[in-house]
Amino acid sequence: MWKQAFALMRQPATSEVHESAKEPSSDGAKKKYRKEKPWDHEGIDHWKPVSMSKEDVPSTGVLMEESSFATLFPQYREQYLKQVWPDVKSLLAEHELVGELNLIEGSMTVRTTKKTWDPYIIVKARDMIKLLARSVPLPQAKKVLDDEVYCDIMKIGGLVRSKERFVKRRQRLVGPNGSTLKAIELLTQCFVLVQGQTVSIMGSIKGIKQVRRIVEDCFHNIHPIYHIKELMIRRELEKDPELKNENWERFLPHFKNRNVQRKKLKTKKAKKKTKDVFPPQPAPRKEDLQMESGEFFLNEKERQLRQRIAKREAQQAKSAEKRRERAKEYEPPVPKAKKPKKASEESAKEIAQRLARKAQVNSSKKRPASDLLL
């Protein structure tokens, strides 16, 4: 049978078939399998999340089996979770979910019931307990249960090898007094929390992508201020209807990577080792030192007594030295030697006396006129 079918496929088409193919088909033939859909038009948003209410679901339910998710939390979150867990249970009960807090294992669990009417709410509840485990407060974490709010928990611990560099770049992301993080939140309309080795992000899909890019670039040594400037420019360009369909590359800043040369630390040159003919003498053993001091031949009690005496003598010497240092504070200061007065500091009377004494000395040194005659 398959040989006959293959032979029929290889036969050339007849002229009637060619003529019928050349003829233009009618509008009805074109739209035979593409009928108009009254619920589908150009103004509809295909990416808008579908909202579901309890009345839209049949009374028999929509879930066939039970689904559950569990997550661990650190020990420092235990006290807070114990306080807010009654509120978490009441929040989950509104969506017909059950939550469990296990303090022995350090875990939180959410699961569906037979009455759960929203099939996707269990995924939202899983995100909520993950955010609670990463130090997001409950008033903020419960917003993820809304249809238009999403979350992302980034792991940043493995982006940088050096621990010191990781801490510096994480602080760079937060900024002084959290100013950089606040600017990112305002521009992306997202909630961002840096905790340990994770970054928790809550907001729209577009905002989460922008924040993820900023965080990854920050740990790859690109400062967040560059992205903040770019987002501010984009925000202004979106307001202009004339530039809506144009390319914005000419307006956006382009930052070049510059290799800034830093001062190299001067390394100490290693001293050249002198090659001796004979190897150095081996270091004396502990037993040899004890034999020289005579301690080796003493018994245990005498050895301990000698150690206590040596220790006491060292303590007395140290306390005496400290006593001398404290006594120095009460010693009177040494009087400073008086400096000779300068010529400018002398009074007129002193100058006159000094000149008179000088004249008297000079007059006594003069030889008489009789001595000058030969």
Side-chain angles (χ1 to χ4, degrees):
M1 287 295 293
W2 63 272
K3 290 182 179 179
Q4 294 175 2
F6 185 71
L8 289 170
M9 289 170 66
R10 295 288 300 272
Q11 287 179 0
T14 58
S15 60
E16 294 177 359
V17 174
H18 285 294
E19 289 174 3
S20 63
K22 289 177 183 177
E23 292 178 2
S25 58
S26 60
D27 294 338
K30 281 182 179 179
K31 296 183 179 180
K32 183 178 180 181
Y33 299 104
R34 288 183 285 171
K35 294 180 180 179
E36 293 183 358
K37 301 174 182 64
W39 62 86
D40 193 5
H41 52 86
E42 292 181 358
I44 194 169
D45 186 9
H46 294 279
W47 295 99
K48 187 179 179 182
V50 179
S51 59
M52 182 182 288
S53 62
K54 199 171 183 178
E55 291 75 19
D56 299 336
V57 180
S59 58
T60 55
V62 293
L63 301 179
M64 301 295 291
E65 292 184 3
E66 181 186 280
S67 300
S68 65
F69 290 101
T71 184
L72 300 173
F73 61 86
Q75 192 176 5
Y76 61 83
R77 291 292 289 169
E78 182 178 332
Q79 194 66 27
Y80 178 77
L81 292 173
K82 281 165 66 177
Q83 294 176 0
V84 302
W85 196 251
D87 299 332
V88 174
K89 290 178 77 174
S90 61
L91 193 65
L92 294 172
E94 295 176 6
H95 300 277
E96 301 294 343
L97 296 173
V98 179
E100 294 178 3
L101 179 65
N102 192 337
L103 297 176
I104 297 170
E105 295 180 359
S107 64
M108 291 180 284
T109 310
V110 289
R111 59 168 55 89
T112 58
T113 60
K114 292 181 179 179
K115 296 181 180 179
T116 306
W117 45 270
D118 189 353
Y120 194 69
I121 196 65
I122 185 66
V123 179
K124 292 279 189 178
R126 177 203 64 183
D127 294 342
M128 185 182 75
I129 61 173
K130 279 187 176 181
L131 291 169
L132 287 172
R134 295 316 306 153
S135 299
V136 178
L138 180 62
Q140 181 65 36
K142 69 180 182 181
K143 293 179 183 178
V144 81
L145 295 175
D146 299 338
D147 289 336
E148 296 182 358
V149 180
Y150 303 91
C151 78
D152 185 14
I153 298 174
M154 286 184 62
K155 293 182 180 179
I156 57 176
L159 295 177
V160 182
R161 287 184 180 179
S162 174
K163 189 176 179 181
E164 295 178 1
R165 198 172 293 169
F166 169 78
V167 172
K168 285 181 181 178
R169 291 181 185 177
R170 184 178 61 181
Q171 184 58 37
R172 185 187 297 173
L173 179 65
V174 176
N177 299 323
S179 57
T180 307
L181 206 62
K182 191 67 180 175
I184 293 169
E185 288 180 351
L186 291 171
L187 290 168
T188 58
Q189 298 296 317
C190 290
F191 171 81
V192 186
L193 178 70
V194 180
Q195 175 68 23
Q197 295 189 359
T198 58
V199 178
S200 304
I201 312 164
M202 287 179 63
S204 62
I205 293 290
K206 183 182 176 182
I208 288 172
K209 284 184 177 180
Q210 289 173 342
V211 176
R212 176 174 270 276
R213 182 186 165 205
I214 293 170
V215 173
E216 286 178 351
D217 286 353
C218 178
F219 283 91
H220 293 147
N221 206 19
I222 299 172
H223 204 283
I225 195 67
Y226 299 144
H227 292 289
I228 289 170
K229 287 180 180 179
E230 184 181 335
L231 288 172
M232 290 172 71
I233 294 167
R234 285 181 182 275
R235 198 175 185 182
E236 295 298 322
L237 291 170
E238 285 174 358
K239 296 176 184 178
D240 194 348
E242 296 179 0
L243 301 171
K244 189 177 181 181
N245 297 322
E246 290 188 17
N247 190 7
W248 293 348
E249 287 295 325
R250 54 199 173 101
F251 301 108
L252 298 176
H254 298 282
F255 302 102
K256 294 180 180 179
N257 291 330
R258 293 179 181 177
N259 187 13
V260 180
Q261 293 184 355
R262 296 171 183 170
K263 292 181 180 179
K264 294 182 179 179
L265 296 172
K266 293 181 179 179
T267 56
K268 292 182 179 178
K269 293 182 179 179
K271 294 181 179 179
K272 292 183 178 180
K273 294 181 180 180
T274 57
K275 292 183 179 181
D276 296 330
V277 179
F278 299 103
Q281 290 291 332
R285 298 180 304 161
K286 185 179 178 182
E287 290 82 358
D288 297 337
L289 296 173
Q290 287 180 351
M291 283 181 181
E292 288 179 6
S293 62
E295 190 180 350
F296 183 79
F297 304 102
L298 300 174
N299 57 20
E300 190 63 29
K301 286 184 179 179
E302 292 175 346
R303 194 178 292 117
Q304 289 178 1
L305 180 63
R306 180 176 284 194
Q307 288 176 358
R308 283 199 295 270
I309 292 169
K311 191 176 181 181
R312 195 180 299 113
E313 288 176 355
Q315 288 175 352
Q316 289 175 357
K318 196 169 185 180
S319 59
E321 187 181 351
K322 285 185 177 179
R323 208 178 295 114
R324 284 195 296 273
E325 288 178 0
R326 285 196 296 270
K328 284 180 183 178
E329 297 177 2
Y330 301 102
E331 291 179 2
V334 179
K336 294 180 180 179
K338 291 184 179 180
K339 295 180 180 179
K341 289 184 180 180
K342 295 181 180 178
S344 58
E345 294 177 358
E346 290 180 348
S347 61
K349 189 177 180 181
E350 291 174 349
I351 294 169
Q353 290 175 359
R354 182 167 56 79
L355 293 173
R357 285 196 299 273
K358 193 174 182 181
Q360 190 176 357
V361 170
N362 291 337
S363 61
S364 63
K365 286 182 179 180
K366 285 183 178 179
R367 296 168 65 185
S370 60
D371 296 343
L372 297 172
L373 297 172
L374 298 173

